Every structure is written in structure tokens, then in C-alpha cells.
Amino acid sequence: MRLSRYFLPVLKENPSEAQIVSHRLMLRAGMIKQAAAGIYSWLPLGFKVLRKLENIVHEEQERAGHIAIQMPVMQSADLWRESGRYDDYGQEMLRMKDRHDRDMLFTPTAEELVTDIFRGHVSSYKDLPLTLYQIQWKFRDEIRPRFGVMRGREFYMKDGYNFDLTKEDALHAYNRHLVTYLRTYERMGLQAIPMRADSGPIGGDDTHEFLVLAETGESEVFYDSAVTDLTFGDRQIDYDDRGQCQSILEEFTSKYARTDETHDEALFNQVPEDRRRVARGIEVGQIFYFGTKYSEPLGATVQGPDGKPVPVHMGSHGIGVSRLVGAIIEASHDDKGIIWPEGVTPFHCGIVNLKQGDDEADAACEKLYAALTVLGLEPLYDDRNERAGGKFATMDLIGLPWRITVGPRGLKNGVVELTCRRTGESEELSPEAAVTKIAEIYERIA
């Protein structure tokens, strides 16, 4: 993409309505624009990042054998009355009537709807286990939406639902989801700590939230600092191996890590004092096991091995995809702007032409642009007739991990400058060597 042809409405000043870093930088970098309180339009740069995150989520869900579907954003209230949640959910649910005076709602979550799909099409234990998931827009009518996409009313979310014959089978699905989430977040450049949490309106006894540590987090968290030393890495996982999935769950949840709703001071005091930490965290996902809470009232049963009907055991598993954009920025920025991890960056590198209109500089930039594109990479070429300082400021603000700077002086010596956004370190390389290095960096994280 050439910046002269791109829609990137960056702002020079900090927006007065933005209270936290991610909201401020997303507005300044031209990623979003507020349409109403807690509701945003996603502009091209923000939309590219959102799609990058969505693709990672899809890849990891499919790796675990989960099956994607798409459910509607509007639901009938009748299903929620069947489950008993319609009146219990509270004012966060946006209720409305259609032209035929039928009660409808804008989806805040989809346990009822997916259970209705299941009960209409699955009748035998031989069709289990089954996990269905979607990535879809949701709406919760927050009383005070704030912090941009971190606490908006409309949000983009992955929600998955497992159906299993027994509790033991469903707990394996729970463990499997925990493993997929660890992989997902690390691919995004995040350390998301699974913490014992409260189930809230979803229900159930077993639940973990995944939290990214950040000063602006809405949750107070208590944890053993040893959990921050854990990494998933490039382990090869057999998702059908119950023992392997269980051992990973134990590895990542055996150390104390809880949100304020489930904090136990006595247990926390058993952690060595030098490892006790109290901080704030941003919730980016949650997994639940809730047994037959929905299958029994909604009649989601299968014929068991003995021929008798059995209510299926269920769980639900969410990832806040749009919220993750803000969480990544909160965890990865400096005073100049965003610093995208390589795995989620909207463009793989920026190309800055220091002297637009100079034949040699223009030709070198075009050659770099073509070479990177041929390798399947997406460069953002700043070909505007602007001052160098303004071009650097834009690149720093939007946070591309790598920048290639091209100018007449360097070209006389046969070199361009390759700069790492995270460290600020630069090196002079031939244009060919710069392309090779960028390609190798992204090949390692593919």
C-alpha cells in the first residue's frame, strides 16, 4: 500500500475524550472513529489489525478441531425465556420489538442459540464430542462505556461452545480450550495469565479468565510472580491427548493467580512474600464449564450408549477480539505511539522516502516495495511529498515493527537504513540485505 492512496486520518493532538493510552493512540493513529457512545467505526488500519487477530483465532481453533459457524446478531427472546435468563440478565441486554410485536434482543452471548442449533440436529452420543464457535459482533448496553474499544457497548468476540456426553469429556474440552488460548495469545505477542475467576451471568463452577497485566486494567489481580516466567513456546500438542492437555492446565494454573472476585487472602499469604504481586489486568478471554445448566432447560439431550436420553455437558469459551487490539496497545507502546508485535502488525514494514521526487530515491523505493511484495509481505510505502520529520512521526505513531529509510546520501554508498521500532536501533544495509532480513524475521514467526 502507498500512503498517498491510503485512508489514514492521523491526529496530531491527543483527543480530550480519551482517558487511556490505547483509546488515545487508536484515535490518533486513525484506527477507529466513534459513531455513538461505546460504538466505533473501524477505519482501514484498525480493521487490518482486527482481521489479523481474527485469523490467528480461527487458525488456533481449527488446529484444536473446533468448527466455525455464524449465528445472527438478533435473537428471539423466546429462547432466553426457555433458559430462564431473559429476565435475569439485566439492563446490559438491549431488548426491542420487531414490527410484529415479537420480543427480540441484540446478542450479548449465544449459549441459548447454539444449544437450539444442537438440539435440532444432534441426537446420538456417537456424534460427540462437538465444539462449535463463531466470531461475531455482540452488544452489551454498558451504563458507562469508556476506554474506547476496551469497554465499549458493541464488540467483536469469538465465542465457542462444547457439547460432551460426560463431565469428564467436557472438562477435557475445557483444558483443550485453555491450551488453544495460551497459543493464541502468545502468537499475538501477549502474555495472558489464566486466573481463577467468577462466572458472572454465564454460570458454572469452573472458569478462568485470561488477563494481560496493565496499569489501566479494570480488574485488580493477585498472583505469584512465578506465573510470568511461564511460556508456551512452540510445543507440539495432540489435542486428543487428555493427559497432555491436563498437564498444561496444571502447569499454567497451579501457581496462585486470581481476580479480586475470587481472591483468597489466606491462600495468597502462602505464596513466598517476595513473589506476591498485586496489579491490574485487562481481561481478554474467559473459559467456562457449566455442565447441564442450558442443556436441561432447553432439552438438549442425546441418546446414550444404553439408549436413554442424556442431557449433554457444556462449556463456553470467549475471546474479546476487538478488545485485544486495545490490550496489545496498552502492553506495547511508548511516548511516540504504538509498537505492534510482528504477529499482528497491519503492515510488515514501512518504507520512508526522504526525498520524494528524486529519481534515484524513487526508483530504490519502488524496487524495495516490489521485492517485499513478491515475497508475500505487505509494506506501507510513505510516498507523500512531506517533510522527513512528519513521515517518521507517522511511522512511529502507527507502530510498524520495522522501517526502511531511503535517501540520496545513503544510496550513494549503496545502503538504506533499517530501524527496529521497539528498540530504536538502526543499521545500514544494502537494499537487498534489508529485504532479506525482513523476510527472515517474518518467516520465523509464520
Side-chain angles (χ1 to χ4, degrees):
M1 179 57 66
R2 300 167 192 273
L3 200 47
S4 62
R5 301 178 187 174
Y6 198 54
F7 181 56
L8 186 69
V10 299
L11 304 175
K12 292 183 179 180
E13 303 297 328
N14 287 326
S16 59
E17 71 270 26
Q19 300 175 348
I20 63 172
V21 168
S22 59
H23 190 194
R24 182 167 68 247
L25 291 177
M26 289 183 75
L27 289 170
R28 284 198 57 210
M31 296 178 66
I32 56 172
K33 184 182 187 302
Q34 181 170 304
I39 302 173
Y40 293 88
S41 297
W42 288 76
L43 306 184
L45 192 74
F47 188 61
K48 278 183 72 70
V49 176
L50 193 67
R51 282 287 177 257
K52 287 282 184 81
L53 300 181
E54 179 182 3
N55 289 339
I56 290 173
V57 173
H58 274 304
E59 288 167 7
E60 293 304 327
Q61 289 300 300
E62 291 167 4
R63 189 195 300 265
H66 306 159
I67 303 167
I69 61 173
Q70 189 80 88
M71 292 179 278
V73 296
M74 298 299 299
Q75 295 188 37
S76 166
D78 293 342
L79 279 174
W80 286 67
R81 291 192 176 106
E82 268 193 83
S83 72
R85 281 208 302 175
Y86 185 68
D87 295 321
D88 294 343
Y89 201 89
Q91 293 186 342
E92 286 188 354
M93 181 190 288
L94 183 63
R95 297 166 169 86
M96 63 205 77
K97 290 182 180 290
D98 66 13
R99 67 194 300 167
H100 302 292
D101 206 36
R102 291 180 293 233
D103 290 323
M104 306 291 290
L105 58 98
F106 196 120
T107 300
T109 184
E111 282 81 8
E112 284 83 359
L113 195 58
V114 76
T115 305
D116 183 54
I117 293 170
F118 177 88
R119 71 182 178 182
H121 298 283
V122 180
S123 58
S124 170
Y125 76 97
K126 295 178 182 178
D127 296 320
L128 303 180
L130 177 66
T131 294
L132 303 174
Y133 80 95
Q134 67 169 350
I135 301 179
Q136 177 64 287
W137 291 101
K138 306 286 194 303
F139 189 93
R140 293 177 189 166
D141 202 4
E142 296 276 355
I143 188 170
R144 283 185 297 275
R146 59 194 189 279
F147 304 154
V149 301
M150 299 287 287
R151 187 103 180 170
R153 293 192 294 165
E154 185 181 67
F155 53 95
Y156 203 46
M157 180 179 172
K158 172 263 169 181
D159 50 319
Y161 306 90
N162 65 283
F163 301 88
D164 290 278
L165 183 63
T166 66
K167 179 177 181 179
E168 292 72 24
D169 294 341
L171 288 176
H172 171 57
Y174 185 95
N175 297 350
R176 190 174 67 242
H177 278 85
L178 182 135
V179 174
T180 68
Y181 281 22
L182 292 171
R183 283 185 59 97
T184 297
Y185 296 128
E186 283 200 12
R187 284 187 60 187
M188 295 174 180
L190 286 172
Q191 181 175 50
I193 303 169
M195 297 192 178
R196 178 66 64 180
D198 180 67
S199 62
I202 302 296
D205 298 324
D206 291 272
T207 180
H208 281 87
E209 285 182 7
F210 291 77
L211 289 107
V212 175
L213 300 177
E215 292 179 2
T216 51
E218 71 271 72
S219 301
E220 187 174 35
V221 296
F222 303 80
Y223 64 97
D224 180 340
S225 65
V227 301
T228 60
D229 297 328
L230 298 172
T231 57
F232 193 84
D234 57 358
R235 309 181 200 197
Q236 297 301 308
I237 302 299
D238 178 357
Y239 285 104
D240 292 327
D241 187 330
R242 298 192 177 202
Q244 188 180 28
C245 291
Q246 176 68 27
S247 68
I248 292 172
L249 175 131
E250 291 171 359
E251 177 186 350
F252 280 84
T253 63
S254 59
K255 303 281 192 300
Y256 190 93
R258 297 193 177 203
T259 60
D260 51 358
E261 295 99 334
T262 60
H263 175 55
D264 186 319
E265 193 68 26
L267 284 177
F268 189 52
N269 288 336
Q270 294 177 21
V271 176
E273 187 173 359
D274 64 327
R275 297 198 333 233
R276 288 180 217 153
R277 299 287 187 275
V278 181
R280 303 204 67 79
I282 300 167
E283 181 201 339
V284 292
Q286 191 164 2
I287 57 177
F288 304 85
Y289 161 71
F290 43 68
T292 58
K293 175 180 172 68
Y294 298 95
S295 58
E296 286 188 343
L298 291 170
T301 62
V302 295
Q303 186 180 59
D306 59 1
K308 296 179 180 179
V310 180
V312 292
H313 286 253
M314 294 176 58
S316 67
H317 319 276
I319 290 180
V321 180
S322 55
R323 166 179 277 235
L324 271 166
V325 180
I328 291 169
I329 294 171
E330 291 291 332
S332 185
H333 69 271
D334 61 16
D335 58 358
K336 296 178 181 178
I338 302 164
I339 305 173
W340 291 116
E342 277 89 349
V344 300
T345 180
F347 295 96
H348 295 104
C349 75
I351 302 171
V352 171
N353 189 339
L354 292 180
K355 195 170 183 180
Q356 196 71 36
D358 178 88
D359 290 344
E360 190 176 4
D362 290 354
C365 288
E366 292 289 347
K367 191 173 180 180
L368 283 166
Y369 185 87
L372 289 163
T373 303
V374 164
L375 293 173
L377 299 172
E378 289 185 280
L380 180 64
Y381 173 22
D382 192 343
D383 60 340
R384 300 172 300 163
N385 189 21
E386 299 282 347
R387 296 176 60 182
K391 292 186 174 187
F392 289 145
T394 297
M395 285 294 176
D396 285 341
L397 174 62
I398 67 175
L400 307 186
W402 296 92
R403 185 186 76 224
I404 301 174
T405 304
V406 181
R409 185 180 302 175
L411 290 174
K412 287 180 181 178
N413 299 318
V415 297
V416 295
E417 186 178 68
L418 179 63
T419 303
C420 174
R421 174 69 180 88
R422 186 169 299 279
T423 66
E425 295 177 355
S426 298
E427 60 179 321
E428 291 186 338
L429 299 168
S430 69
E432 295 77 14
V435 169
T436 298
K437 183 165 183 176
I438 293 291
E440 289 174 348
I441 288 167
Y442 286 102
E443 187 177 350
R444 289 196 296 269
I445 65 169

